[in-house]
């Protein structure tokens, strides 16, 4: 973990860790520590924690399968407006979770296709979400206004 600072009062911290299911909690604790320093509202923190579980979990399950690779999680804070941006970076297979169609939530659970609900929940709870594949890296960003 190497803390770094951005410009104009923006703070940035990041950690690089093995992308395993067991490390979801380590990443969540790392991000929560930053959120608590900001006085992040509990509802926003819970939404961010769910997003971490889904997004880091996807990296752990699919990016390097069956191997294990690393992922970098970066937490940035912007002041105007006050927001947190969390970036997930991995060198695994290219995968844009935003390309998948949103599930038809009007159907019962039994009628719905498996999968897609987690990323849908992330899209609904975050203010912005973006994906790009650049220089051999998946880069997924979520932004939550505080």
């Amino acid at each position: 973990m190497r803390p770094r600072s951005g410009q104009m009062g923006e703070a940035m911290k990041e950690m690089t860790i093995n992308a395993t299911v067991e490390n979801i909690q380590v990443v969540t604790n790392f991000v929560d520590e930053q959120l608590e320093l900001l006085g992040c509202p509990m509802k926003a923190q819970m939404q961010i924690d769910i997003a971490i579980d889904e997004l880091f979990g996807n990296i752990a399950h699919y990016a390097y399968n069956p191997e294990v690779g690393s992922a970098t999680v970066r937490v940035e804070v912007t002041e105007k407006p006050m927001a947190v941006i969390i970036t997930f970076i991995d060198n695994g297979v290219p995968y844009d979770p935003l390309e998948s169609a949103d599930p038809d939530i009007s159907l019962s659970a039994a009628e719905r296709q498996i999968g897609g609900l987690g990323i849908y929940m992330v899209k609904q709870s975050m203010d912005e979400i973006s994906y790009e594949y650049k220089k051999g890296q998946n880069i997924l960003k979520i932004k939550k206004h505080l």
Side-chain angles (χ1 to χ4, degrees), residues 44-142:
Q45 183 172 330
M46 288 174 61
Q47 290 172 326
I48 290 167
D49 287 355
I50 290 167
I52 293 167
D53 188 72
E54 174 65 19
L55 300 174
F56 195 83
N58 279 350
I59 295 168
H61 284 294
Y62 306 115
Y64 301 102
N65 196 19
E67 306 298 317
V68 172
S70 64
T72 297
V73 179
R74 180 179 300 147
V75 181
E76 297 172 83
V77 179
T78 61
E79 291 180 358
K80 292 178 183 162
M82 181 68 130
V84 63
I85 300 165
I86 301 165
T87 306
F88 300 85
I89 303 165
D90 69 77
N91 298 303
V93 294
Y95 173 66
D96 181 355
L98 306 182
E99 281 183 349
S100 51
D102 290 340
D104 184 348
I105 56 172
S106 66
L107 299 175
S108 72
E111 295 173 302
R112 270 196 303 251
Q113 288 193 330
I114 294 172
L117 197 55
I119 193 70
Y120 175 75
M121 288 174 23
V122 173
K123 288 179 187 175
Q124 295 302 306
S125 64
M126 295 297 119
D127 294 300
E128 290 175 35
I129 183 166
S130 67
Y131 169 85
E132 65 178 332
Y133 185 78
K134 192 162 79 176
K135 296 181 182 169
Q137 294 183 315
N138 291 295
I139 304 167
L140 184 71
K141 289 185 180 193
I142 57 173

Side-chain angles (χ1 to χ4, degrees), residues 11-28:
M12 177 173 75
K13 292 197 185 266
E14 67 179 36
M15 73 180 312
T16 299
I17 192 167
N18 280 344
T20 62
V21 172
E22 295 77 21
N23 280 336
I24 293 172
Q25 193 57 53
V26 176
V27 171
T28 302

